[in-house]
Amino acid sequence: PYEIETNGPLQDGIDQVLSTIGYRLYIDNVEMPLFVRFGKDIQIKFGFSNDGIAPFYYKWPTRVYLFDERGKTINAYPLPMDLRKILPDQVYEVPFILPVGNLENGKYTISFAINDPLTDRPSVKLTNENARHDLIQEVGSFEVKWLFNLPNK
């Protein structure tokens, strides 16, 4: 519809067609703990879906980002998954173990991104609502609470 007047009488129909063609990936659900008291890692399970009419055609790298409460990146971990397996009308589940044994007390945010293999930067917008504007999708947060503090040596 490149020769159609923008915001003209056909705009609603054009927007509807464009919103369904191709892939439309989103995070359907995430299972993760809210509090971490001890241990070296936490189990997370991502559920991805696609409400478009086609799969994602390439095996691009995916990352799980961990941010502290100030928004500083703690780390970005590769998420071993195949985007081509997120098919329309199905949930593709991906388990992930996040190392948290060396984190200090505080709140942390987990995020997800699909990175362009040439730049290794986030480059695909998911259809989920997102507070971030850098194509990194926030998925949840947790708090680390140590029950006691070890003395400094």
Side-chain angles (χ1 to χ4, degrees):
Y2 67 93
E3 291 184 9
I4 304 295
E5 171 188 348
T6 303
N7 295 323
L10 300 176
Q11 190 67 52
D12 288 341
I14 291 169
D15 291 344
Q16 186 176 4
V17 168
L18 291 177
S19 73
T20 59
I21 62 173
Y23 62 87
R24 290 181 34 86
L25 304 179
Y26 65 96
I27 297 173
D28 183 74
N29 62 74
V30 177
E31 295 177 20
M32 58 181 279
L34 294 176
F35 296 96
V36 177
R37 291 199 170 97
F38 59 89
K40 297 188 186 222
D41 50 36
I42 59 175
Q43 299 277 339
I44 302 172
K45 184 164 48 170
F46 293 92
F48 296 93
S49 293
N50 179 354
D51 65 359
I53 59 172
F56 196 85
Y57 293 111
Y58 306 102
K59 190 174 180 184
W60 280 19
T62 55
R63 301 277 184 270
V64 173
Y65 291 84
L66 181 62
F67 297 101
D68 67 13
E69 49 195 313
R70 294 180 310 259
K72 179 183 174 197
T73 304
I74 302 295
N75 209 338
Y77 305 91
L79 180 63
M81 65 179 292
D82 188 344
L83 294 169
R84 300 169 296 184
K85 293 184 178 181
I86 307 173
L87 301 175
D89 301 322
Q90 296 180 14
V91 177
Y92 174 59
E93 292 186 342
V94 181
F96 181 71
I97 297 174
L98 179 70
V100 297
N102 61 349
L103 295 179
E104 298 176 0
N105 283 347
K107 293 182 181 180
Y108 296 87
T109 301
I110 297 172
S111 300
F112 169 81
I114 300 170
N115 290 11
D116 183 316
L118 296 177
T119 64
D120 200 32
R121 296 182 58 107
S123 59
V124 175
K125 183 174 182 351
L126 302 179
T127 62
N128 301 86
E129 289 188 27
N130 192 9
R132 299 179 63 96
H133 301 289
D134 58 2
L135 301 177
I136 299 175
Q137 179 70 47
E138 289 185 2
V139 297
S141 60
F142 65 93
E143 186 172 354
V144 172
K145 278 196 170 230
W146 290 98
L147 297 178
F148 55 90
N149 289 326
L150 297 175
N152 293 333
K153 293 185 177 182

